[in-house]
Amino acid sequence: SWVKLPASGVPAAGTYPISVEFSANAGASARTAEIVLSNAEYSYEYKLNVVQAAAGVYFYDDFLWVKPWADVYGSGDSVGQNDINGKAPNVYTQATQAGFLDKFKEIGYEDVNPSVTSFYTQKYYLKFSATSKHTGIILPAQTAVDGSDVTLTFDWCPQMTKSKNIDKVNLVVSIIGDGKIETANGDVSATEPLEMDWEKGKLKWKTVSFKLKGLKATDRIKICPKDLTDGDGVTQKRWYIDNIIISK
């Protein structure tokens, strides 16, 4: 009921884009709708999932927008399936369906270390880094939070080696700008590496949350391994991220 399609129903052939309106979500939880585009004559159907964050949420990304690229290239669900061999197509080498990096940039994301071209899709979330090629993600600037205290929450998981050892990712959260992160040791610009308490041989999502103080519209949140520089050809700092939320 909160999704409003064009009043005329089906637009004339060749009429793009199709405009869709959404009413505001005043509820305390996110909600999901499904828009179906179909043509019976050609046996065509495309389903678009729309997720609307709860009230008080400045930014929400469950990475369902990755689906067109992940499906085309056969991305696996490495964390959900506990599969170290889950297929992870590199977004920098896509040829048959380009445009992922354009969409990534359009949303406002940045690759922390694009020169190493070690950024991949999963079903449906993101993977970063390869052996001795470490990177991470810079989140979009939040123009509505100028000077506000907010909460950052996301799910993450390290990769593991063929011998089932968990990668020593040493993931840190930092702020580029004036905002600070509240920790037990005071307000800081960058956290200490996040706790690594995964059981050997078991990939699973872990939700982490941080209070960010005085976040400005020009500040950027960066999530990546603490050290991006080692090049020993052995060190593994591969990791996954999903369900990013910035809220009041």
Side-chain angles (χ1 to χ4, degrees):
S1 61
W2 52 277
V3 179
K4 184 178 180 181
L5 296 171
S8 59
V10 181
T15 302
Y16 304 101
I18 299 172
S19 297
V20 181
E21 297 180 0
F22 309 96
S23 60
N25 184 4
S29 59
R31 58 186 180 182
T32 303
E34 183 179 73
I35 299 172
V36 181
L37 306 176
S38 62
N39 184 305
E41 181 181 356
Y42 293 96
S43 299
Y44 172 83
E45 182 176 272
Y46 180 80
K47 295 182 178 180
L48 174 66
N49 291 312
V50 181
V51 180
Q52 190 179 50
V57 174
Y58 295 109
F59 179 78
Y60 175 77
D61 195 352
D62 61 1
F63 294 103
L64 282 178
W65 62 268
V66 173
K67 178 176 170 61
W69 294 273
D71 288 354
V72 164
Y73 292 99
S75 299
D77 179 9
S78 298
V79 179
Q81 299 296 322
N82 193 36
D83 181 9
I84 62 172
N85 296 312
K87 187 175 180 181
N90 190 315
V91 303
Y92 287 100
T93 58
Q94 295 175 354
T96 58
Q97 183 161 325
F100 176 91
L101 288 170
D102 292 332
K103 183 65 176 179
F104 186 74
K105 182 179 179 180
E106 176 187 320
I107 294 171
Y109 289 118
E110 293 181 38
D111 183 347
V112 170
N113 193 15
S115 65
V116 299
T117 61
S118 294
F119 174 15
Y120 314 86
T121 56
Q122 289 281 271
K123 188 178 179 180
Y124 300 106
Y125 47 96
L126 302 180
K127 177 185 178 183
F128 295 94
S129 302
T131 304
S132 275
K133 296 180 179 180
H134 313 316
T135 190
I137 190 169
I138 298 176
L139 307 190
Q142 302 301 308
T143 57
V145 305
D146 206 4
S148 302
D149 291 352
V150 302
T151 298
L152 166 68
T153 303
F154 60 89
D155 298 334
W156 83 284
C157 179
Q159 173 62 304
M160 59 184 173
T161 66
K162 292 181 180 179
S163 58
K164 304 298 180 69
N165 292 315
I166 301 299
D167 287 13
K168 296 178 181 179
V169 181
N170 290 329
L171 197 71
V172 299
V173 178
S174 61
I175 297 180
I176 304 169
D178 297 329
K180 299 295 182 182
I181 306 169
E182 184 179 86
T183 72
N185 297 318
D187 298 341
V188 298
S189 297
T191 67
E192 291 298 315
L194 305 189
E195 184 179 17
M196 296 286 297
D197 57 357
W198 276 262
E199 178 184 349
K200 180 178 179 177
K202 180 63 177 178
L203 299 180
K204 63 178 181 179
W205 290 110
K206 181 177 182 179
T207 302
V208 292
S209 185
F210 306 88
K211 182 176 181 180
L212 311 183
K213 303 174 71 173
L215 192 72
K216 292 185 177 180
T218 53
D219 291 346
R220 303 293 296 277
I221 301 166
K222 181 169 69 171
I223 307 169
C224 66
K226 184 176 182 179
D227 183 6
L228 300 175
T229 59
D230 59 67
D232 56 16
V234 177
T235 303
Q236 303 280 29
K237 297 181 181 179
R238 303 161 299 176
W239 64 285
Y240 307 90
I241 192 168
D242 199 2
N243 298 320
I244 302 173
I245 305 172
I246 300 173
S247 60
K248 292 183 180 179

